[in-house]
Structure formats: C-alpha cells, structure tokens
Amino acid sequence: MKVKSVFLRPAWATLALSLARLSDAAVNHLGVRDDLHFPIEARATNNDGSLPIYKNPNAPIEDRVNDLLPRMTVQEKVAQLIQGDIDGWMNMTDPLDNTLTYNQTGLEQMIESKSGAIWAGYLAPWDKIVYAITIGQKYMMENTTLGIPAIIQSEGLHGFTDNGTTWPSPIGLAASFNTPLLQEAASTIATEAEGLGYSQLFAPVLDLSRELRWGRVEENYGEDPFLTSQMGHAYVTGLQTGRRRNVSDTAIARMAATCKHFTAFGSPQGGLNIAQVSGGERELRTYYLKPFNYACVDALSIMTAYSSYDGIPNVANTHILTDILRDEWGYQYFVTSDAGSVDLLITLHGICPTRECAAKVALEHGLSGEMGGGTYTYLTLPDQIESGTVNISYVDETVRTILRTKFALGLFENPYPYPDYASTLRTQATRDLLHQMERETIILLENNNNILPLSTDIGSVALIGPQSDRVSFGDYVFYNASLNGISPLQGFTEFLANTSVKINFAEGCKLWSYDESEFPAAIAAAKESDVAIVMVGTWTLDQTLLWTPGTNATTGEHVDLSDLSLVGAQFPLVQAIQATGTPTIVVFVSGKPVTNPWIQENVDAVVQQFYPGELGGLAIAEIIFGAVNPSGKLPVSFPRSVGTTPVFYNYLKGARPIDPGMIYPNDTMLFGHQYVLDTPVPTWSFGRGLSYTTFNYTDLQLSSSTIGTSEDFNVTVTVHNTGPMDGKEVVQVYMTDYYSSVVTPNMELIGFTKVDIPTGQSTTVTIPVTSSQLAVWSVRSQWVVEPGEFNIFVGTSEEVYLNTTLTVQ
C-alpha cells in the first residue's frame, strides 16, 4: 500500500521545543498554573496521582481544555490543526473492495502529523469504514501519549454519502419551506453517520446565491437570507441534537455540523466559486452574514470560503473570522479552511510567495485549521514557531477550539462506531420521512385550465424526455448512489400499476446532444397519448465522475454556466411535442432555474422538481396524478435569460426600473428600455407555488400596530381552504420599510410557516417577528431599528393577499 510522505520532526526536538515554551504558555496564555503539575515522561498523568482533569468526563469542558493544552508538544498541537485521511492507513481506491487490512506505518505517520480531524468520506462497504475508523481511533486513544481522539468527517450535503439515504438537494429541501420536516430529515442523516463512527458532517452551503450563473446553486437554500437562515438552522439543529452513546452529560451534541462556506461565496460579477466578491460592509452584513449568524453560531464547525471579499481572501480575513465571528458573535468552536484553500493564497490570490507565508497568514488572520487537498502548509509551523516567525499563542488559540469541539462531542469518552450500526442505516422510518419530503419539494408553477392533476381514468400518457428514465441526484453523491433511486419512468409505472393507464415512453433526445433523430418516436408517442409529460433539465454527476476529464455536467462543483437555457435538443423537443396538439406538461428536473420563457407561455402546465432524493421518481408521479397536492414554493427566482440577471426578488428600492420590450409571435417588435426586447421581471418569482386547491386569507392582524424599537410582534392571519382538495399552504409574511436612513429592499421575507388545511376548513396562523428583523445596518456602522412605518403583508413576492401598517416609534 502506498504511504503518503509527511513532514516529521525528531521526537526529541519537538519535545525540547515544547518544554522551552510550556511554562510561559501556561502562565501568560492559558492562566492555568505556573508549575508543571504533570511529569514530562508521562504527560497524561498528574504528579500527585490524581486523575487529569481532561480525562474526567464530568468536568467542565473549559477546565478540560485548559488542563490538556499545556501537556501538548508543538508537534501535537500542529497535528490537531491539520486534516488527516483514512487513506493513510487503508486502501480506499476501490469503492467495492472490502479488504480489512491496514498499513501500520501509514497509520503512525498520519497520526503523528495530521490528526485533528480525519477525512473518511469514501464510498466503501460499511464494515470496512467501521474497521478503518476503529483502527484509527484505537491507535489515537491507546497508543499516543495523551490519547486525543480525532473528529471523523464526511459529507452531509443532502444525506450521508456513504450509501446512506439520499435526500433532495438543498435547494430542493428549501422548496419545502418546512423547517420541522427538514430538522427531522437532518436527524436521520446524523443517525446514519453516527453509527458508523462519524462525528462531523459538512452541512449544506449557506451562501446567498445573488447570481445564477454559478454551477452550485443546487447546494444552497436560495436567494433569501431569512429562508436560508431558517432552513440552515433546522439542518444544523437536526444534525447536532442529542449525544453519542456512553458519553457524559457535558457533551452537547452528537455530530458537528460544518456550516459552509463562510462567507460571500460566489460572485455577482461572474459566479465562479473562487472568484473575487465585491461589496461593502453593509452588503456583507445584510445579505451574507445574516444566515450564518442565525444558523451557525451553535454549529460546532465552520468552513471558510475559497473566495475573497472586498479584496481579502476569506481564509485569512481577520475582520470576518476574528472581529465578527469570534469577538462579536462569540463563536468558540472549530473553523477549518476548505480543501487546498490555504495554498490559494499563493497560487490564486497572490498574497503569499511561500508555504510558510501562507500558513502564517491563514493561522494568524483566521484562527482556523487546514484541510487537505493542498500542500499542507501548516507542516511548516513547528519550524516557524522555533524561529520566532509565528507566535505559539495563535496555535494555542486555534487548538483550543478543536479540543473544545471534541469535548463537546464526547469523543474522549466514546469515539468508536456502534456494534449495531447496521440497524441505524436506511431504515423504513427514514424512508417514510424521505417520501414526505420528496412530495413537499415539488413546485407547481403553471396549471392552465387546471389540466393537473391528471385522472387515472385517462387512456394513456406519454412520458418523454431525457430526464424521464434517469435518476438525477444533486452534487456530492458517490459511486453507484443512483442505484438506490427510482427514476420517473419507474415511479409512474409503479404508481399506475393497478390502473388501465398506458405509458408511452420515448426518450426523445439526450441531455447533452443536439441530435434530433429520436424526435419522431417521441412525437408519435405524444400523438398516441391523451397527455404528454416532457421531462427536461440540468444534470450533475457523482463525485468521482464530476472530476474525471472527458465527462460532462451542467451543475456541480467547478461547473459554471454562461447560459441557463436548456442544453442541446431539449428545448426543440419541448416545442415539437407541444406542436402535436396533445396537452403538454413540462417537468424541469434541475439543480437551478431554467431560462426558457417560451415554455411558460405555451405549454399547458409546468412543474419544477429540483434534484430529488431516492423517491423522487415516485413523488413526481403522485403529484402529477393528484395522489398528493403540491405544496412546494420557489426558493429562487427564474430569470428570463442570463442577460436579465440578477433577478432576486428582494432587490434594493429603485434597482429594477421596468420599461420592457418584447417580440410578438408574428415577429413584430415592441422596443422598451429595461430591457429593449425583454423584461427584468422574472418568469417565476421567489415564493411562487400553486396548488390543486384554493386558499383564501382573511383577518390579518398584528399583536400591536405600534411598537417600540426593541419590541417584537406577531402576525396573525386566518387561512381558508376553499377548494376541492386537502392541501398544505406556506403562509409567507413580508415587509417593506417605507423610509429609512439607508436604501433597503423593496420587500423582505420576515416569516413563514407551512400549514395543512382540509378542504372546507380554515386555520388561524400566528407568526412571530423579532425587532431585529426590522433593523438596518446604519451609516454609523451598527444595527439600528429606526422609527417609522412598515408595510406588513402576507402573500408571495409576486402577489400580495393582505397588508397592514406597522408603526415603530
């Protein structure tokens, strides 16, 4: 087995360096005591024979951190800051290989230099993962001087990636607008990972995608800070709530949720994921930091962004990572760089000429650890500390954060996989919860003449398009994950199995080709059917293929677009099917908005399914045929073209003048100015989502129509189901600040909740709003709730149902 080369310092030199600085560190930095209360030759014990505080599971976490840190050598401290990898002692090349052997030399070298967190995010047989984690943790606990366990990491973007249950992509989860359901979903994801020995999952991206050209829109919760904060908080809470087995009550979480990427990741000037993001303090505070502040202050880990903000790389931004995150927000846990991002200070941002410089800048300006994927610049820190280039205090401060995280997880008591891990994976209860989520993420965008839902009494349905017989998961799924999914063709076949409805299937074209040779078969299928369903969209690949040269995708990491229209022959296919005269329903299966306004204007119905989970193929059939009433809402607006972006609904006042032009079907042109032959108004706006029933709103009331600047208030409204079918409605509350000292958005979402209302019945909904949601980042650089009048209304970003006035004095 290949063993990675690592930087190793002779043990005697490391120990001598540590001892030379130990007493000063204890007095001046830690404030613990000024004598050595432990023997040098046995640092895991005490001179007086008492139990070291750090080994006492019932001692306060800070006392344990303070007791452990002075016992550590410089080498041990630096190793805590660097991400290791189980491939250092296990052969993880073949995802199907189940060989349970390890490389002892590789294990020892990995733990010596990179052992704070260990990457184990591989697809492999579960017993191999359990074996690898057990071997690593037992060595750290039993064969190192201090017995410090590692945090074991994997991806948790929309499910535990090692053959755990795959959930809809984050943008799909956001479309549910159902925070309690998302929290339950996240809990099952943590449960699946926890049993195998994982203790850290990388949570969904919490950035605001203010521009839609970027490939990874699928990985965030959409364009709205408030929606992002609520969904992000639900996900973090679901992942972390509880304790690992056999740990003390001082543990506060069972899983460390890693919020990423902090912050302002993705550029309004082009969208590349490592781009320069321009903006000032107000934009940073108002749009980018709000979700992190709400969702991530209680998360046990945060990952920095590749991008720079206002010319400063986020991996080394003292203002963001220290002034705001640490000092202002009081964040105490572990911050890590993204893969290889410290090296980008050299190769991309042009900040540093050497690895030594990059390590120093990232550590001192970010107090963060270093993930793998680069040259491991932090391996230069021991020499820099010895030479006086880097002050040990920065290392100590950062090590404290990861030790605090490990104690908070209870890892010193039980870092191991569970014997009954198999019982926690892919359970029926999880599958039932997934089924509910799949249904609630689907969005009905258009339904002309109420063509939907279809009746199971019809004779036949054509299922057409390259997404019809394909399982399209979002980013960060591993090899063969799609084998767990149900394609739409399978889902329609299963749903219609006990009916007389005939399915006429024809692919029509490939996702990535302009070849129209399959059109005749698709047109024939449409003509032979009562209704045609055309399934088109974007696609991504599993995480291995996504980085393989010669493969293709239109969404995913490092995949950026200059055009959001359907690729290849997909749009002509839709037009050809619509031209048959057969009623046509278009289903977008995608990771981002699609810009083909002709479809909205010409087909009979449009349904959006952001990349689903394993049961997405069944759920779309249930929605189309009315077994389930759609209740999803758009978490992101759909532009008419990339030339009309950005189109986020909460634009600043005056930022969207509307003087549109257009080209009529007979090619007559009407010229406008914004835009000459188009409009800045989105095809579909944030918050839109139709139902098979109708809802009516009455009796909008505020708990008080006049409040003080520090007072909270409630919004109450009664919602009536006046249509023919039971349904779920997302009650959305928005506000407009009429006049303020700085320019504010034309409208902002400030509250929402999802309610289930039987036909003919009503429910009264009360949504709390905090005074801080009315605040602006003022010209004096502080959050201020200013006296004045606010319009409070329920509806969507497209339509106001009821409104009232709130006075703040």
Side-chain angles (χ1 to χ4, degrees), residues 728-806:
K728 295 179 180 180
E729 171 72 334
V730 178
V731 181
Q732 304 168 54
V733 179
Y734 294 81
M735 77 159 186
T736 299
D737 186 348
Y738 284 120
Y739 297 97
S740 53
S741 62
V742 298
V743 180
T744 56
N746 72 301
M747 64 170 62
E748 297 178 68
L749 182 72
I750 57 173
F752 65 88
T753 190
K754 196 167 199 174
V755 291
D756 193 350
I757 310 175
T759 181
Q761 297 187 27
S762 64
T763 186
T764 298
V765 176
T766 297
I767 296 175
V769 181
T770 63
S771 60
S772 62
Q773 291 173 250
L774 308 179
V776 297
W777 187 253
S778 73
V779 294
R780 298 187 180 275
S781 297
Q782 59 186 0
W783 287 110
V784 176
V785 178
E786 299 176 336
E789 290 191 339
F790 296 78
N791 182 26
I792 306 296
F793 58 95
V794 292
T796 71
S797 64
E798 295 179 308
E799 184 177 4
V800 175
Y801 304 147
L802 295 172
N803 68 296
T804 189
T805 299
L806 171 72

Side-chain angles (χ1 to χ4, degrees), residues 440-459:
E440 294 200 21
T441 61
I442 297 172
I443 309 160
L444 178 61
L445 295 175
E446 299 290 341
N447 192 20
N448 297 326
N449 300 315
N450 293 321
I451 188 173
L452 294 177
L454 300 182
S455 170
T456 53
D457 292 331
I458 63 173

Side-chain angles (χ1 to χ4, degrees), residues 33-202:
R33 55 193 299 174
D34 59 2
D35 61 327
L36 299 182
H37 58 288
F38 51 86
I40 297 305
E41 69 278 3
R43 290 174 287 125
T45 62
N46 283 344
N47 288 329
D48 61 5
S50 61
L51 180 72
I53 295 173
Y54 86 90
K55 291 186 176 182
N56 180 358
N58 297 311
I61 287 177
E62 288 309 297
D63 291 350
R64 298 177 77 180
V65 172
N66 287 338
D67 182 59
L68 176 55
L69 189 61
R71 301 172 188 265
M72 300 174 68
T73 67
V74 169
Q75 181 67 41
E76 288 166 342
K77 291 175 180 178
V78 172
Q80 286 296 303
L81 301 183
I82 305 176
Q83 180 194 52
D85 198 310
I86 61 170
D87 73 352
W89 64 90
M90 298 289 295
N91 186 345
M92 304 306 297
T93 304
D94 183 353
L96 303 180
D97 175 68
N98 198 26
T99 304
L100 302 184
T101 60
Y102 71 98
N103 183 304
Q104 181 69 30
T105 301
L107 174 64
E108 293 174 4
Q109 290 184 328
M110 181 64 69
I111 302 310
E112 174 75 16
S113 60
K114 310 180 189 80
S115 56
I118 300 292
W119 178 250
Y122 294 93
L123 179 64
W126 291 333
D127 52 351
K128 184 175 181 178
I129 290 291
V130 166
Y131 177 82
I133 292 174
T134 301
I135 290 294
Q137 294 286 36
K138 283 182 70 68
Y139 180 84
M140 284 178 274
M141 294 289 285
E142 300 175 7
N143 296 97
T144 62
T145 301
L146 295 172
I148 303 174
I151 293 174
I152 306 296
Q153 304 170 315
S154 188
E155 293 288 351
L157 188 69
H158 50 105
F160 169 56
T161 52
D162 187 7
N163 203 28
T165 303
T166 299
W167 292 75
S169 60
I171 196 170
L173 297 171
S176 74
F177 276 69
N178 193 331
T179 51
L181 182 60
L182 179 57
Q183 183 170 325
E184 288 186 75
S187 179
T188 70
I189 293 168
T191 296
E192 291 189 329
E194 178 188 351
L196 290 170
Y198 293 89
S199 48
Q200 183 179 21
L201 289 176
F202 296 163

Side-chain angles (χ1 to χ4, degrees), residues 6 70 109 155 160 167 230 292 313 327 357 375 397 464 504 530 601 624 651 683 763 776:
V6 296
Q109 290 184 328
E155 293 288 351
F160 169 56
W167 292 75
Q230 300 300 305
F292 282 99
D327 297 340
C357 170
T375 65
E397 277 299 324
I464 296 168
N504 296 316
D530 296 305
E601 296 163 359
I624 293 293
Y651 56 88
T683 305
T763 186
V776 297

